[in-house]
Amino acid sequence: TLPLQGEEVDVKLPDAAEDLRDEVLQFNTNCPECNAPASTNMKLVQIPHFKEVIIMATNCDSCGHRTNEVKSGGAIEPRGTRITLRITDPSDMTRDILKSETCSVEIPELEFELGMGALGGKFTTLEGLLKDIRDLVEKNPFTLGDSSTPSRTGKLQEFLGKLQEIIDGKAQAHFIMDDPAGNSYLQNVYAPEEDPELSVQRYERTFEQNEELGLNDMKTEGYEPEPASGR
């Protein structure tokens, strides 16, 4: 029925952003391993108490290769972020974690540091990321350094054993994420209250960090056209 004159009509226009959040977009690509045609699924996801991220997953039917990559849906933050979690309980392994491609990871108790760019962007659990680190080190023991010494195998097995103890909840350790772009996140299980085992520090980036992020060469002023000379 048509609304009578004077009646208010509640018309809700479709929100393109909301539609995008509910929709999984798919596009054709090539497998990074065998270069065979593959499909990539992309979805916009809102992380509670943080921001939106874009998750992209590629599955190759030819060789079985799978990738799961995450990109921040926002701009580089004004300050860097250093997140420290003291792992004290096996339940910590279920915490959600977003490691951006600009984030480095450190586990002081293992004298281990994963540099910026390694493993790319990941949205997973703490257990999932630690297992990714374990797999990376197993495949590339050069990650641990001193790779040319005869004791490499012994150091590798010792490291993997200690890391597995942390994953199994049998050992406590500190897990540190340092992201100069400020686009990484580790779940606070007490949110919105403070988490006694989690600290988040915001810091001013150094010139070198801005250089790595490509910010020093970005022109943010002076785009206005020159005023006419009047001639």
Side-chain angles (χ1 to χ4, degrees):
T1 58
L2 294 175
L4 299 176
Q5 187 175 3
E7 279 190 282
E8 290 187 3
V9 182
D10 184 16
V11 178
K12 187 174 182 182
L13 297 175
D15 187 331
E18 286 296 332
D19 289 346
L20 186 59
R21 289 187 189 94
D22 295 333
E23 186 179 357
V24 177
L25 303 178
Q26 188 175 84
F27 53 92
N28 296 326
T29 184
N30 291 88
C31 174
E33 287 292 317
C34 69
N35 204 39
S39 61
T40 294
N41 293 325
M42 183 175 75
K43 183 169 173 54
L44 192 65
V45 176
Q46 174 68 47
I47 299 179
H49 307 288
F50 190 54
K51 61 172 66 177
E52 286 183 335
V53 297
I54 300 168
I55 297 179
M56 295 185 293
T58 303
N59 299 328
C60 178
D61 293 332
S62 296
C63 70
H65 182 72
R66 300 166 65 92
T67 63
N68 186 359
E69 196 172 2
V70 65
K71 300 287 185 184
S72 172
I76 292 176
E77 294 294 316
R79 293 191 292 171
T81 304
R82 183 178 173 88
I83 304 171
T84 302
L85 171 69
R86 190 165 72 98
I87 301 172
T88 59
D89 190 89
S91 64
D92 287 326
M93 292 297 111
T94 64
R95 290 178 186 250
D96 289 333
I97 190 168
L98 169 64
K99 176 203 160 312
S100 82
E101 60 271 21
T102 57
C103 179
S104 61
V105 171
E106 183 182 354
I107 306 174
E109 286 80 1
L110 300 184
E111 299 181 356
F112 174 79
E113 185 170 350
L114 186 72
M116 180 191 298
L119 288 177
K122 292 279 185 179
F123 182 45
T124 178
T125 61
L126 179 55
E127 179 181 13
L129 186 59
L130 290 177
K131 286 183 176 179
D132 286 339
I133 291 174
R134 180 194 63 194
D135 294 343
L136 178 68
V137 173
E138 279 183 322
K139 293 176 182 177
N140 184 10
F142 290 88
T143 310
L144 289 180
D146 295 330
S147 55
S148 60
T149 63
S151 61
R152 180 181 64 185
T153 303
K155 286 180 62 177
L156 177 62
Q157 294 306 318
E158 181 183 1
F159 171 85
L160 293 174
K162 290 180 178 178
L163 180 59
Q164 191 61 49
E165 286 183 357
I166 295 173
I167 294 173
D168 293 339
K170 297 176 181 177
Q172 297 186 1
H174 289 81
F175 182 83
I176 303 171
M177 303 170 64
D178 193 332
D179 187 355
N183 283 331
S184 293
Y185 159 89
L186 209 167
Q187 183 185 13
N188 172 359
V189 294
Y190 297 94
E193 303 297 326
E194 288 191 11
D195 189 327
E197 306 301 343
L198 185 71
S199 71
V200 180
Q201 299 171 297
R202 311 284 180 183
Y203 63 84
E204 298 297 329
R205 286 186 289 267
T206 64
F207 178 89
E208 289 75 17
Q209 287 173 322
N210 280 328
E211 189 75 13
E212 285 190 73
L213 295 173
L215 298 177
N216 291 333
D217 296 327
M218 292 180 66
K219 188 177 182 182
T220 57
E221 297 178 353
Y223 284 105
E224 299 81 4
E226 294 290 333
S229 61
R231 294 181 183 176

